[in-house]
Amino acid sequence: MLDEIMTVEERAVVARARAFAEEHVAPNAARWEWDRHYPLETIKAGCAQGFNTIELAKKHGGQGLSFSCKLRAFEEIAKADFAFAFAMINHHNACARFARDGQPAHVARLLPRMLTGDLIGCAGLSEPGVGSDFGGLEMEAVRVDGGWKLNGAKAWITNAAVAGLSVAYAQTDRAKGYRGIACFAIEAERPGFHREKPFELHGGHAIGVGGFRLVDYFAPDEAVLHPPGEAFKAALAGINGARAYVAAMCCGMLQASLETAVRYTQQRKTFGQPVLDHQGVRWKLVDAATDLEAARLLTYRAARLIDEGADAVLPAAYAKKFATDMAVQRIADCIQAMGANGLRADYPLARHLAGAKIAAYTDGSIEMMNERIGAGLGQVFGVAKEAGA
């Protein structure tokens, strides 16, 4: 288990995340959803607790801790609400990437506001007509004197409802395909940036998902985070981590759902005995608990490999595929164990079910994980079989 190999400082961060979620997220998550509210005030409170600086280098004012620490902290926060956890971790990632890859003067000007939450960050990958085909980006960047002029639209962007800085990707030369993609730090306060109306996303309003359009937006040279030829590789480098922490968030949601369902079925009686004593109900929850353990093992293995700098492509895909798929099914089983009461807003299960379904699409759908794993079958199994023949 990850907690056993983390430092005392890292375990303290995880404990602080657990306490923060219980105090600030769990009591408010249902209201955020019903009111269709992006909880900027609680995002800022999370920044004050350092949840946007876990992996950020110490030289930039961060904590310089491990990926595993970040993953575990946000697993704890997701127990209370996936949407908030996903919004917070995306701001964290934007802080870390901008600080790492930005020009010093640019970082010095904007990062302090990002650290306090006065300037929220987001990624700028997905587009309205492109979906998961990152190599087919349509946002265009044209070289001009002193920088680049950008035109195009982004969609399905976490934090887009309020984000002031986007780590965005655009195509500089379609003939070069993915090698023509560059990465820019896009500021919402500059001319040419147009924010779209946030999406009304069932079960995930706290994510603040939406989009923006750039119309003759001028990005100065200092805003280039990765030039053409480097941006595509840099974007893919972070995808394994994203798949692992989304899997961890699914584990968090299922654990919270199991805890709620077990408590409820222990106390609720039917036909003269607690609901949990009915074998049909008990075995369903046993299956959920078993799948939770399996998902955690897959997820934590991927996290350890990422921290070690090892190849985590397939381990992260295994974790993402299994955790998201099983979370949808097993959270539904927890709801079923509670009967119709499982759907009441008094309990978080329906919101967790929606969160698990959202997680099934983020950072690569289950179908994409199947393709990624399938592409490696010959190498993992076929070659080994031939060698042993």
Side-chain angles (χ1 to χ4, degrees), residues 128-141:
V130 176
S132 300
D133 182 12
F134 181 37
L137 291 183
E138 295 178 353
M139 178 171 280
E140 183 181 53

Side-chain angles (χ1 to χ4, degrees), residues 67 71 236 238-248 250 294-295 297-303 305-306 310-326 359-360 362-377 380:
F67 172 80
L71 177 144
L236 294 184
I239 197 66
N240 295 329
R243 288 169 179 171
Y245 66 62
V246 169
C250 287
L297 289 171
L298 287 169
T299 300
Y300 293 173
R301 173 175 176 250
L305 290 171
I306 289 168
D311 183 0
V313 173
L314 284 178
Y318 285 133
K320 174 69 164 57
K321 168 184 166 61
F322 184 77
T324 54
D325 200 18
M326 72 88 195
T362 58
D363 298 296
S365 66
I366 292 172
E367 290 78 11
M368 286 184 66
M369 296 306 96
N370 286 340
E371 287 300 305
R372 188 66 195 85
I373 295 167
L377 287 177
V380 174

Side-chain angles (χ1 to χ4, degrees), residues 51-64:
F51 299 131
N52 62 327
T53 65
I54 296 173
E55 277 192 298
L56 182 67
K58 289 184 177 180
K59 67 180 181 180
H60 293 302
Q63 301 172 68

Side-chain angles (χ1 to χ4, degrees), residues 92-114:
H92 174 294
N93 295 341
C95 290
R97 290 171 187 168
F98 178 60
R100 182 191 64 205
D101 302 326
Q103 297 297 317
H106 203 197
V107 172
R109 177 167 64 86
L110 297 178
L111 185 61
R113 294 170 59 198
M114 297 182 75

